[in-house]
Amino acid sequence: MIQIYLRILQFVRPYWRHLSVSIVCTVFFSLFSGISIYLVIPLLDTLFDQNALVEVTGSAPDPQLPGWIENLKESVSDSFNSFVFAGEKLDALFRICLIVLAAFFLKNIFGFIQAYSLAYVEQGVMRDVRNALFRHIHKLSLGFFTHERAGNLISRVTNDVNVIQHSISASFLNLLREPLLVLVFLGIAVSISWKLTLISILILPLALQVTARIGIRIHKESSNIQSKMADMTSALQETITGVKVVKAFGMEKFETRKFAKQTKKYFEYVLKITRIRNMGPPLTESLGVLAAVVIIWYGGKQILVDHTLKASEFLGLLFAILQTMHPLKELSSVSNRLHESAAAGSRIFDILDMQPNIREKPGAVELEELREKIEFRNVTFAYEETRDAAQSDGRAVLKNLSLVVKKGEVLAVVGPSGGGKTTLVDLIARFYDPVEGKILIDGVDSRDFTIESLRSKIGIVSQETVLFNDTVRNNIAYGLVDSPFENIVRASKAACAHEFIIALPRGYDTMIGERGIMLSGGQRQRLSIARAILKNPPIMIFDEATSALDSESEALVQEAIEHLMQCRTCFVIAHRLSTIRNADRIIVLDGGEIVQTGTHKDLLKEKRGVYHRLYELQFNA
């Protein structure tokens, strides 16, 4: 826990100025809080004419404080009394009222500045942690996202970061202000009667022991709460994303019941941890009240029987002791907050400590352009969860594959589902790296190039079109924010998208909704192609770009694709064989191996080949 807590505090360093202001204001806030309580004594003396010294009668006086403390106390008291009680009673009352007003005013001013400064630190740290998480998530390899639920990631960036806010306030407010307040109030109490103060201090060991035990239990339960919040967020995200499928299959009640189960589990854990957390303050307060009752009895005896204490001093001491109850209650919850924050921080640092599988080599060079060819040389690939098995029983997605694609060539990749087609093109963009072998660009290993320069030379149009809740213009110019509007229009015309765009309510400035929901499938695909045309990459990858479209949309998209293919090296994955008739070359992948290669006409001649079988299944030839 301590290591995680210290890592959280590392994010506080950039805000040391605001933190310093908060700490200084906390000190003054505590001092003026004590002064405002101490002024009760002269106020009561003035109102009830109790300023005369109390005569000690009866039993022997209590043992005295050390000499230097007693002298300091008397010196301060004499100076204060000579200022306050000089002149008439009304003058003294007026001065006391002014001092009380000034003390409370300054206390509140310092309290406000302290609260604002600390809030600045808290919100700044939360912002920085979220930015660090978001930045790091984008550095992680594509394989990470295939295993991690989106809702879980969202929960860590939102809910878990909210929880670690408590560690900031607990560290620099509760652990500083509350002990200071306790010391100030106890100092006032000691100056009045150290024996009565000692009785009140006896509750501290019991309170600390109760707090420690509760904190341990809370740490165990906090991880469960964050996990259940992630499950709930995932269920919500998945249902909203797939709402059309849910409605189409009439699964609203099923999804509602499933979500209700998640909320019930979260509800139960929250109640459990709330029950544990809320045990601390009542127990601490009960111990404090017990001490207060003992103090009232013993102090009353000193006033009524022993005559060793003035009533005004006793009330001042009682107010001071009672004022320690709130800081002690807050301190009893500090441990709980730190344990909750540590649990949330652990989930956050699990992500931040995760290293991407795809890393850039030290000294990697820029890829300037594709001059000659792309070569797959003895490439074997298996996804992480199957790599051990792949070595023993051949579960590799690609197996010792070799292939050369010349610059400007259009290569079509076909084959049964699961044959490794998408994996093949994903390796080009280094979404994954081969387990064995290498991919060469003009004879240079693709891992020797910077990732940014490599991917800048590649455009991808996939079956699942990804658009953002933004304008048409910004979606086309994604990644090219400074692109002139004329170039955007030119790309749209080449993608056969200009006509439907200008027919939209606000043309290129029309908001298209989340994932482009306001557009048809064909329109979304043509925007994706316009984006690729504007990027103008020398290498294009088409992954089932027309498989989900109707015939009319497919014709328009196919026309746009043909514009985009011109003078580029293209990899085309297609189940619809009609869309690849004009490819320069077709390879057939089956079981991770190239089983056939040739043109459309050549492959149809091989009557027993995989390509011919696929063709017959589609066209009933």
Side-chain angles (χ1 to χ4, degrees), residues 111-379:
F112 170 79
I113 298 173
Q114 176 272 323
Y116 177 81
S117 300
L118 188 62
Y120 188 96
V121 175
E122 288 177 344
Q123 296 303 319
V125 168
M126 291 170 64
R127 177 195 63 190
D128 293 347
V129 172
R130 285 198 174 104
N131 289 342
L133 270 172
F134 192 79
R135 184 167 55 247
H136 188 73
I137 285 171
H138 279 288
K139 292 179 181 178
L140 295 176
S141 309
L142 193 62
F144 167 78
F145 298 95
T146 61
H147 302 99
E148 191 69 39
R149 294 176 302 171
N152 187 34
L153 292 176
I154 293 170
S155 179
R156 297 196 192 202
V157 175
T158 54
N159 301 311
D160 289 359
V161 174
N162 282 338
V163 173
I164 70 168
Q165 176 189 2
H166 299 321
S167 66
I168 308 299
S169 59
S171 302
F172 300 105
L173 178 61
N174 300 99
L175 283 180
L176 179 63
R177 188 182 70 182
E178 312 309 343
L180 272 175
L181 287 173
V182 170
L183 288 174
V184 168
F185 294 135
L186 286 180
I188 293 172
V190 167
S191 71
I192 298 171
S193 173
W194 69 269
K195 293 181 72 174
L196 288 175
T197 306
L198 181 62
I199 295 173
S200 67
I201 293 177
L202 292 177
I203 70 168
L204 285 177
L206 290 173
L208 292 175
Q209 186 176 12
V210 169
T211 301
R213 291 190 176 184
I214 292 174
I216 292 171
R217 291 192 62 188
I218 283 182
H219 182 68
K220 292 179 181 178
E221 299 299 333
S222 293
S223 294
N224 292 330
I225 279 192
Q226 299 308 314
S227 177
K228 295 306 172 187
M229 173 58 79
D231 292 341
M232 191 167 61
T233 307
S234 293
L236 180 63
Q237 186 264 340
E238 290 170 1
T239 304
I240 292 175
T241 303
V243 64
K244 184 180 288 188
V245 176
V246 172
K247 290 184 177 297
F249 285 85
M251 295 294 284
E252 291 92 341
K253 291 182 179 179
F254 171 80
E255 292 295 338
T256 301
R257 287 194 300 270
K258 187 170 74 171
F259 187 72
K261 289 180 181 178
Q262 299 291 349
T263 56
K264 181 183 178 183
K265 291 178 182 177
Y266 180 76
F267 170 77
E268 290 171 349
Y269 275 107
V270 168
L271 284 185
K272 185 175 181 180
I273 201 169
T274 301
R275 184 171 64 249
I276 298 170
R277 184 193 298 123
N278 291 340
M279 286 170 61
L283 288 173
T284 305
E285 186 173 8
S286 298
L287 292 170
V289 171
L290 176 62
V293 169
V294 175
I295 292 169
I296 291 172
W297 178 84
Y298 186 77
K301 179 176 175 292
Q302 287 187 317
I303 295 172
L304 299 175
V305 180
D306 301 335
H307 301 291
T308 57
L309 193 68
K310 292 191 296 184
S312 60
E313 290 177 332
F314 173 71
L315 288 175
L317 182 144
L318 188 59
F319 286 153
I321 294 299
L322 291 176
Q323 286 296 315
T324 63
M325 293 299 102
H326 179 72
L328 286 174
K329 284 173 63 177
E330 289 296 315
L331 282 173
S332 72
S333 66
V334 167
S335 177
N336 303 341
R337 295 183 193 178
L338 292 180
H339 279 88
E340 290 176 12
S341 298
S346 178
R347 287 166 49 83
I348 290 171
F349 292 123
D350 282 345
I351 299 294
L352 290 176
D353 291 340
M354 195 172 293
Q355 294 299 318
N357 294 329
I358 307 301
R359 299 187 184 92
E360 196 168 276
K361 278 186 177 181
V365 298
E366 298 283 323
L367 174 60
E368 299 296 337
E369 60 177 320
L370 174 64
R371 294 184 175 86
E372 296 179 4
K373 61 183 179 180
I374 299 173
E375 180 183 358
F376 289 73
R377 184 179 295 176
N378 303 322
V379 170

Side-chain angles (χ1 to χ4, degrees), residues 241 460-479 492 495 497 500-501 504 510-532 549:
T241 303
I460 300 176
V461 179
S462 62
Q463 176 182 352
E464 184 180 358
T465 306
V466 177
L467 297 175
F468 301 94
N469 186 22
D470 205 337
T471 63
V472 172
R473 179 205 300 252
N474 290 340
N475 269 281
I476 294 175
Y478 186 71
S492 300
F500 86 78
I501 292 173
L504 294 173
T510 303
M511 297 290 292
I512 61 175
E514 187 174 359
R515 300 176 67 86
I517 196 169
M518 293 178 59
L519 306 177
S520 69
Q523 290 172 336
R524 290 196 295 270
Q525 196 66 289
R526 279 178 276 165
L527 283 190
S528 178
I529 293 171
R531 178 193 295 166
L549 304 178

Side-chain angles (χ1 to χ4, degrees), residues 367-411:
L367 174 60
E368 299 296 337
E369 60 177 320
L370 174 64
R371 294 184 175 86
E372 296 179 4
K373 61 183 179 180
I374 299 173
E375 180 183 358
F376 289 73
R377 184 179 295 176
N378 303 322
V379 170
T380 297
F381 178 81
Y383 291 99
E384 288 186 18
E385 66 274 14
T386 61
R387 284 186 179 179
D388 292 338
Q391 293 177 357
S392 59
D393 59 7
R395 294 185 187 177
V397 180
L398 298 176
K399 304 172 184 176
N400 198 31
L401 184 145
S402 294
L403 173 69
V404 176
V405 181
K406 296 179 180 179
K407 178 182 178 180
E409 184 179 4
V410 177
L411 178 76

